[in-house]
Amino acid sequence: MLVDPEANNSIEKSKDMVLEAYPHAKILVIKDIQGKGKSKKHNEFLTKITPAQFENIEDMSKYIVLNQKGEVQLVTSYKNSENDPDWKNDQPMVKRIVLPLLAKKETETKE
């Protein structure tokens, strides 16, 4: 799942990067209420979906990875890109922590 403003141009880049590596990945873009900044709807969603082992940071641009049972395996935040050269480019973070979870899923389904 990608949680981002719907008109954000980074959504297409993110979707393309994941689908290039994992063509069968299912991607859901959550549309938020129109307006400036984060909305109550966005914050409520994050509070409900973020498991206790992850810090609930109410920023935009989230990657949320679920397993086949619908259990949340990862919720990213800006902190996951802190040491990357360009914090606006999420590709290093996606390659480092999101794609390995998808690779694990694909390996499990092949067995």
Side-chain angles (χ1 to χ4, degrees), residues 80-84 91-100:
N80 296 112
S81 296
E82 281 184 330
N83 295 320
D84 291 342
Q91 290 185 4
M93 182 271 299
V94 169
K95 288 178 182 175
R96 189 174 63 251
I97 64 174
V98 174
L99 293 183

Side-chain angles (χ1 to χ4, degrees), residues 4-70:
D4 222 333
E6 189 177 24
N8 189 323
N9 64 359
S10 67
I11 287 178
E12 289 304 316
K13 291 179 194 174
S14 300
K15 285 175 23 181
D16 291 346
M17 183 177 56
V18 170
L19 291 173
E20 182 179 322
Y22 302 95
H24 301 293
K26 294 178 178 73
I27 298 174
L28 170 67
V29 179
I30 297 177
K31 186 196 269 188
D32 207 357
I33 298 169
Q34 292 293 332
K36 292 183 179 182
K38 298 171 287 205
S39 73
K40 183 177 179 182
K41 179 180 172 185
H42 175 261
N43 293 342
E44 287 174 356
F45 171 77
L46 288 177
T47 299
K48 288 178 183 177
I49 200 162
T50 304
Q53 73 263 32
F54 298 104
E55 183 180 2
N56 183 8
I57 298 176
E58 296 176 344
D59 63 339
M60 296 297 275
S61 300
K62 298 251 182 229
Y63 288 83
I64 301 169
V65 180
L66 293 86
N67 65 17
Q68 289 182 328
K69 296 177 187 175

